[in-house]
């Protein structure tokens, strides 16, 4: 468990030394520059007229790929309970988390630290609890869950059902805006497990030297992020990095693979965020919609299984331009 920043006071011990271990220090050309962008992410009120909401979702998807939503139907108490139980998990003593720690990526539910998007010898200042939920939740009997906190699974499943419903509604709005049938993304394209990443970033002694997560694009269909009330998320826009200021009771929405983002660290307080990923099953075919290619048109990207997409995504390193180039016809 010495790998886990949040266990045994590891982060506090590092902070008391006043400097980062070399494995967390990035080369100068990869250190996070200060953001100068004045652009803000759109905040869309989903309780507005459907035509206006549909246009707002489509416009935000085209321009940024990222936006925030409020009045989205997920009860505030469900969001607060999820945030609270996740923070409670990371406050547990190391011995209560040790059995769940694993570097084996094939384990759907596990606790790990700084083990993805590795480039060179640098590690990222993050611990992560990953939980996979099948749908319907009553059928999900094959995954192992942490024993503590005792109410973690019940709270997570309630949160999962609510956020999955929100994700489906956002995809319907997107389809309506693009001229696709409203249920285009339902069934096979959203039939895979929903993955929840609980990202925990302990206080960092020198945030200017490292990152919580590197620049990357998501590999799934849609991401819903409960980012909490501590700043840390930035998205790339026109060569600069936009700070995503927390909005009370909001979700940050990302249509997968449209825009790169990263997670910053801070030296004062811990930050915990909850990312919900919706994706297809591994054998599902993903490719350009025939309705958007048009009669006689030629697709710009090839159709592959989601398993093949995931393999190539990992091979080229999760950067947007590299992934896009790999599938370009």
């Amino acid at each position: 468990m010495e790998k886990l920043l949040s266990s045994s006071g590891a982060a506090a011990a590092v902070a008391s030394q006043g400097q980062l271990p070399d494995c967390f220090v990035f080369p100068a050309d990869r250190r996070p520059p200060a953001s100068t962008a004045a652009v803000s992410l759109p905040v869309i009120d989903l309780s507005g007229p459907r035509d206006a909401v549909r246009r707002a979702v489509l416009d935000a998807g085209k321009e940024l790929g990222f936006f925030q939503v409020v009045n989205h139907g997920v009860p505030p108490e469900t969001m607060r309970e999820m945030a609270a139980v996740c923070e409670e998990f990371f406050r547990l003593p190391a011995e209560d988390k040790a059995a769940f720690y694993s570097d084996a990526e094939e384990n759907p539910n596990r606790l790990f630290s700084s083990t993805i998007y590795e480039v060179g010898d640098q590690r990222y200042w993050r611990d992560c609890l990953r939980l996979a939920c099948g749908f319907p939740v009553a059928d999900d009997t094959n995954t192992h869950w942490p024993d503590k906190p005792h109410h973690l699974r019940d709270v997570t499943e309630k949160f999962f059902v609510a956020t999955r419903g929100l994700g489906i509604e956002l995809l319907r709005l997107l389809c309506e805006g693009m001229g696709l049938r409203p249920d285009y993304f339902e069934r096979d394209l959203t039939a895979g497990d929903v993955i929840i990443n609980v990202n925990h970033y302990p206080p960092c002694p020198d945030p200017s030297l490292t990152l919580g997560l590197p620049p990357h694009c998501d590999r799934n269909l849609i991401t819903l992020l409960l980012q909490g009330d501590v700043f840390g998320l930035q998205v790339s826009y026109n060569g600069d990095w936009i700070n995503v200021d927390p909005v009370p009771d909001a979700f940050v929405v990302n249509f997968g693979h449209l825009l790169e983002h990263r997670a910053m660290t801070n030296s004062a307080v811990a930050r915990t965020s909850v990312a919900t990923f919706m994706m297809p099953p591994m054998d599902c075919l993903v490719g350009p919609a025939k309705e958007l290619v048009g009669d006689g048109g030629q697709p710009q990207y090839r159709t592959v299984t989601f398993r093949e997409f995931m393999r190539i995504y990992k091979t080229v390193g999760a950067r947007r331009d590299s992934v896009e180039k790999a599938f370009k016809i």
Side-chain angles (χ1 to χ4, degrees):
M1 289 293 286
E2 67 275 3
K3 291 183 179 181
L4 197 63
L5 291 168
S6 59
S7 69
S8 302
V14 170
S16 68
Q17 299 170 8
Q19 61 182 17
L20 282 171
D22 289 344
C23 63
F24 289 101
V25 177
F26 283 62
D29 62 346
R30 294 182 58 215
R31 293 177 189 172
S35 174
T36 60
V39 180
S40 298
L41 286 191
V43 178
I44 302 174
D45 185 344
L46 295 188
S47 67
R50 192 167 185 85
D51 286 347
V53 171
R54 182 192 304 121
R55 286 195 301 271
V57 168
L58 185 61
D59 290 346
K62 287 179 178 178
E63 177 68 15
L64 290 168
F66 270 80
F67 52 95
Q68 300 197 65
V69 293
V70 295
N71 294 323
H72 40 62
V74 179
E77 59 270 23
T78 299
M79 302 168 72
R80 287 192 288 269
E81 288 171 0
M82 185 64 183
V85 77
C86 292
E87 291 173 359
E88 183 180 350
F89 174 86
F90 281 103
R91 287 195 301 267
L92 290 171
E95 56 269 22
D96 289 340
K97 296 178 286 192
F100 209 66
Y101 188 93
S102 174
D103 286 328
E105 293 188 7
E106 64 271 17
N107 290 352
N109 288 12
R110 64 190 180 102
L111 174 65
F112 58 96
S113 183
S114 307
T115 53
I116 60 172
Y117 308 122
E118 303 238 3
V119 179
D121 295 325
Q122 287 75 45
R123 296 179 63 197
Y124 301 104
W125 193 260
R126 177 194 75 148
D127 295 334
C128 182
L129 173 64
R130 176 166 296 173
L131 303 169
C133 297
F135 188 81
V137 292
D139 296 339
D140 184 19
T141 59
N142 298 320
T143 52
H144 174 57
W145 288 70
D147 294 327
K148 297 179 181 179
H150 69 277
H151 54 300
L152 173 66
R153 182 165 187 168
D154 288 342
V155 170
T156 300
E157 288 183 344
K158 184 167 74 170
F159 178 82
F160 150 72
V161 171
T163 52
R164 186 183 186 276
L166 172 58
I168 292 293
E169 175 62 11
L170 287 166
L171 291 170
R172 281 180 163 264
L173 286 163
L174 180 65
C175 288
E176 292 172 14
M178 293 192 301
L180 296 171
R181 67 179 191 275
D183 63 350
Y184 177 84
F185 287 112
E186 297 175 42
R187 293 184 289 275
D188 288 350
L189 287 170
T190 50
D193 284 347
V194 173
I195 306 297
I196 292 178
N197 274 7
V198 183
N199 300 306
H200 183 73
Y201 309 94
C204 178
D206 193 343
S208 69
L209 298 180
T210 192
L211 284 168
L213 276 176
H216 66 283
C217 60
D218 286 346
R219 56 194 175 184
N220 49 286
L221 181 58
I222 186 173
T223 302
L224 302 172
L225 178 70
L226 179 61
Q227 73 160 336
D229 55 5
V230 179
F231 161 75
L233 177 65
Q234 291 186 331
V235 298
S236 177
Y237 180 68
N238 289 342
D240 208 338
W241 289 97
I242 302 172
N243 295 327
V244 181
D245 295 327
V247 173
D249 295 332
F251 281 97
V252 180
V253 181
N254 169 23
F255 292 126
H257 195 61
L258 285 180
L259 196 67
E260 289 192 335
H261 50 289
R262 66 184 185 182
M264 309 296 288
T265 62
N266 74 81
S267 59
V269 295
R271 172 176 175 258
T272 303
S273 66
V274 183
T276 303
F277 306 108
M278 294 176 60
M279 60 187 67
M282 286 298 172
D283 292 331
C284 180
L285 288 176
V286 294
K290 294 179 181 179
E291 296 89 335
L292 299 181
V293 174
D295 294 336
Q298 295 297 319
Q300 297 185 36
Y301 301 94
R302 56 195 177 98
T303 296
V304 296
T305 64
F306 189 59
R307 176 178 286 104
E308 177 69 0
F309 175 85
M310 293 280 280
R311 184 190 68 78
I312 294 175
Y313 173 95
K314 293 179 180 179
T315 300
V316 301
R319 298 305 299 268
R320 184 182 187 277
D321 290 344
S322 299
V323 176
E324 185 174 348
K325 182 178 180 181
F327 292 98
K328 193 85 170 177
I329 294 177

